[in-house]
Amino acid sequence: MTANPKMVERQNLDKETVKQINKLHDFDLEIREAMDSICDFNDAIRDLAVQWNLNQFALQILWGFACDARRHEDFTLPKCSCPYFDNMELLGTDMRYVNGDCIIHGFKQKVFSA
Ligand SMILES: [Zn+2]
């Protein structure tokens, strides 16, 4: 995957930064593939989701944006069963729709509803 050229221009990024961004985009895909290929090892899938989130922070830094987990589209990760469209609407806010049965996010609901 390559960085969006319009965004690169708008953010005024140098070649080295774009190279690093492309590497992290590839890493994003590798994490997603690993999540896809794991069957029922919930802990491993959650660990990969943590890695994916850290990678998103690194990408936000390289792009020159603030580190902001509220902008992470983690509901698009393989094995996530949280609602896509509802969460797209909430992107950038503190709120998320969580499917209690989601392998990745379901435990959060238990934590917050206690
Ligand atoms: Zn989920």
Side-chain angles (χ1 to χ4, degrees):
M1 188 186 278
T2 55
N4 179 330
K6 282 183 185 169
M7 285 268 289
V8 169
E9 198 180 316
R10 195 171 72 197
Q11 295 299 107
N12 197 23
L13 304 179
D14 60 40
K15 271 188 177 176
E16 186 53 38
T17 304
V18 173
K19 212 168 128 184
Q20 288 179 37
I21 287 171
N22 288 338
K23 270 188 193 169
L24 294 190
H25 277 304
D26 289 343
F27 187 47
D28 181 298
L29 294 177
E30 285 170 24
I31 294 170
R32 288 173 184 271
E33 282 170 17
M35 291 177 86
D36 238 347
S37 63
I38 293 172
C39 295
D40 295 320
F41 300 106
N42 295 4
D43 287 346
I45 289 170
R46 286 189 195 132
D47 286 348
L48 286 165
V50 169
Q51 281 190 48
W52 181 87
N53 273 294
L54 293 174
N55 193 48
Q56 289 296 300
F57 284 129
L59 279 166
Q60 285 175 326
I61 291 168
L62 287 172
W63 277 110
F65 298 124
C67 283
D68 188 353
R70 296 172 303 177
R71 306 228 50 103
H72 293 185
E73 297 177 16
D74 55 344
F75 48 88
T76 66
L77 289 172
K79 309 284 166 73
C80 172
S81 56
C82 300
Y84 174 81
F85 291 106
D86 292 332
N87 281 316
M88 276 308 275
E89 285 180 17
L90 292 177
L91 201 61
T93 74
D94 288 326
M95 294 167 57
R96 285 286 159 86
Y97 287 100
V98 174
N99 178 348
D101 296 328
C102 175
I103 291 171
I104 301 165
H105 304 106
F107 69 95
K108 283 183 185 171
Q109 199 173 50
K110 284 177 197 155
V111 170
F112 292 127
S113 64

